[in-house]
Amino acid sequence: MKQALRLLPWPVTLIGTYAGGRHNLMTASWVSQVSFRPPLVMVSVAPERYTYELLTANGEFVVSILAADQQQWAEFCGSRSGRDVDKVKELGIKTAPAQKVKVPLLADCVANLACRVVSIHPAGDHVLFVGEVIEGNTPRLEAAPLVIKDWEYGRYTKD
Ligand SMILES: Cc1cc2nc3c(=O)[nH]c(=O)nc-3n(C[C@H](O)[C@H](O)[C@H](O)COP(=O)(O)O)c2cc1C
């Protein structure tokens, strides 16, 4: 069973949250669209993450799809907590204000999806936050997205 699970490829995204004047980014691969109408996406967040704290405080998040050349951002934002470090500042990530949410968009990722939480579902050792996508943009439409399988990074390309 463990071997079978390891064959599931995941996207690599940064989840942006904002509350109390703090903007935080967390690497997340357990992210998926779950409805067309309305457009809904879910992200699975462990309760011990700083992201969980900001997400429950403000009820908004931004999913930023990373490009294959942004693996370093994924590694940093996936191993350090926003409780200890300002990840946006440390990595020099450029942001742009969103129109409909307080969470800033990332200026140089493949795409941003700004979401408002519509439901929350406990799921084992994680919690699923389902958000309605209310705004989006595509700063690097042509870039190959970063993906991961069995904890090895790769890039998505068409055959
Ligand atoms: C490739 C990768 C994917 C990850 N996916 C998730 C995820 O989907 N959900 C989650 O809660 N943590 C995930 N993590 C772990 C968090 O990114 C990590 O614990 C991070 O330091 C939490 O940051 P925060 O405390 O600032 O929220 C992932 C880490 C990596 C490297």
Side-chain angles (χ1 to χ4, degrees):
M1 184 192 79
K2 279 188 179 165
Q3 193 182 28
L5 262 179
R6 283 201 291 265
L7 296 181
L8 193 60
W10 303 333
V12 183
T13 73
L14 294 182
I15 301 301
T17 45
Y18 183 92
R22 298 285 304 272
H23 177 208
N24 188 48
L25 297 171
M26 174 192 98
T27 306
S29 283
W30 292 354
V31 175
S32 181
Q33 181 165 359
V34 292
S35 163
F36 283 125
R37 271 193 301 255
L40 300 177
V41 298
M42 74 87 204
V43 56
S44 180
V45 181
E48 58 269 25
R49 312 285 186 241
Y50 185 51
T51 295
Y52 181 92
E53 203 176 307
L54 298 186
L55 199 39
T56 44
N58 160 274
E60 295 173 347
F61 63 97
V62 168
V63 178
S64 297
I65 301 169
L66 290 181
D69 58 12
Q70 292 169 328
Q71 184 181 327
Q72 193 203 344
W73 289 5
E75 286 170 353
F76 190 82
C77 295
S79 59
R80 306 288 297 273
S81 177
R83 285 193 186 92
D84 311 319
V85 62
D86 182 336
K87 296 186 233 184
V88 181
K89 202 166 152 193
E90 199 71 25
L91 290 169
I93 293 178
K94 289 191 210 115
T95 63
Q99 308 283 317
K100 296 184 179 165
V101 296
K102 290 205 179 99
V103 189
L105 307 178
L106 302 193
D108 298 315
C109 62
V110 175
N112 290 288
L113 299 164
C115 304
R116 189 167 292 137
V117 174
V118 292
S119 62
I120 300 174
H121 310 267
D125 55 9
H126 281 58
V127 176
L128 308 184
F129 291 83
V130 176
E132 180 165 359
V133 184
I134 52 176
E135 182 179 348
N137 69 1
T138 55
R140 291 181 64 193
L141 188 57
E142 302 306 325
L146 184 62
V147 293
I148 193 166
K149 195 190 80 170
D150 198 11
W151 297 104
E152 287 188 1
Y153 289 96
R155 58 170 56 223
Y156 170 81
T157 50
K158 277 193 283 183
D159 268 343

